Amino acid sequence: MTILTATLRDGTPIILDASRSREQLKLWRTDRTFHCPQCKERVILKVGTVRIPHFAHLSDSDCRSSFSEGESADHLMGKQLLYTLFSRLGKQPELEPFLPELSQRPDLLIRHGDQAAAIEFQCSRIAPDLQQSRSAGYESIGMAPIWMLRTPPKYEARPAGVDVLSFTSFHQQFFSSSISPNDTLLTFSPRPHQFHYFSHLLHMEGNRFLCVHRCLPLHLQTFPFARPKPPDETLLERYRSCYQMHRTAFLQRALFVSRKGVQDPFLRNCYEMRLHPADMPARIGVPVRNQSAFAVHDCAWQLDLTISLKRWQLPLSRVPVNRLRQFVHRYPGNSDRQTDACIAYLQFLQRISVKGSGGQTKKGMEQEFMSLLSDHFLANQIEN
């Protein structure tokens, strides 16, 4: 059991932040006795050459609640660096404070004016329901939960800019609107002392997302945390270009990658429509709000919905919601968000139908596409 806080015999708190030198700590080991702030048992100050200095319970200790066991060096170092940052910013942070109302111990507690935020720096896997219950606990006592993931190592040296990146379901647990109107993945790299922002997330296919990657050195961070800039016309145009390139690549490889042949749902739908993937109409495969609820590419579920609309033989404005709910049941994921994505797609089809040929030309579709991207990010801001 490793911790960064302890108390002396008289109750004086001791915090192992980055300002403590190893020489000072080695002297402390010889003339001071430390105790766990929770169970009051004696703890040992360890000052080695590999791991960062920390307190450790004795091997037969019964103290098991609140503290995490076997914390990694990155986790300990990250908490230290964040504590030092918030102290420098004058936020009077608390490191590993015990919250008796919840019997929980966040990594850090920050008070900003009359508000409080619980900071969780996550370096290991956590079950989604446990993460949600902890967040609900903080919110129940008026604290804003901020979850910060340790930067995936494969992206630490990746150049900043617009990119298509892969985020596992674990990474996606930490997509949050707590620091930005749009979903953002906020991560921290303890060893390079650098924050990584992955913002303006737009789902492409599977675990791949189009996003803006930005790096911020630790010493330039603020609290409340620096926020990504809203998307401007230049960024939206870059997104349009990247999305269209990925859509073209998806359609070109559709015939060659799938090992299922006509048993592949997308290819089977293409066959039913007598449509070669390379000839897919521009109106199929567009980003609408909540499209990330579908794991498949937008071309796949929108072509599938187009076929269903043809079978239903109903005007676009009169498709019952229950029909859409039945349609999305064939796809895994959040059915409510998937249904809303279908509604947004129907609204798009109605809009270009009203505009007639002006909405079907290449220039017209580019304008519609830019409008969809704007709506996508604006919808997220309204929802959040």
Side-chain angles (χ1 to χ4, degrees), residues 75-139:
H75 192 202
L76 292 171
M77 182 183 297
K79 290 193 294 185
Q80 279 190 336
L81 291 171
L82 292 171
Y83 177 85
T84 302
L85 165 68
F86 298 133
S87 297
R88 178 178 60 79
L89 294 174
K91 299 303 177 182
Q92 300 181 328
E94 298 178 50
L95 184 64
E96 301 172 339
F98 180 66
L99 305 179
E101 311 98 310
L102 306 175
S103 294
Q104 290 181 205
R105 192 180 292 272
D107 289 331
L108 295 114
L109 179 62
I110 309 296
R111 300 192 185 279
H112 181 69
D114 59 352
Q115 298 180 332
I119 310 292
E120 293 282 10
F121 178 50
Q122 199 67 28
C123 293
S124 58
R125 289 193 171 276
I126 180 174
D129 56 347
L130 178 56
Q131 180 185 2
Q132 292 167 6
S133 67
R134 286 185 181 176
S135 293
Y138 295 136
E139 291 170 348

Side-chain angles (χ1 to χ4, degrees), residues 107 119-132 134-135 145-152 167-180 182-188 196-199 201 209:
D107 289 331
I119 310 292
E120 293 282 10
F121 178 50
Q122 199 67 28
C123 293
S124 58
R125 289 193 171 276
I126 180 174
D129 56 347
L130 178 56
Q131 180 185 2
Q132 292 167 6
R134 286 185 181 176
S135 293
I146 299 178
W147 291 85
M148 188 186 311
L149 188 64
R150 193 236 182 268
T151 305
F167 297 111
T168 66
S169 57
F170 170 66
H171 297 148
Q172 293 174 43
Q173 285 178 218
F174 299 89
F175 288 2
S176 172
S177 59
S178 61
I179 63 166
S180 174
N182 297 117
D183 274 350
T184 297
L185 177 62
L186 173 63
T187 72
F188 180 56
H196 291 256
Y197 285 76
F198 303 91
S199 63
L201 295 152
F209 291 79

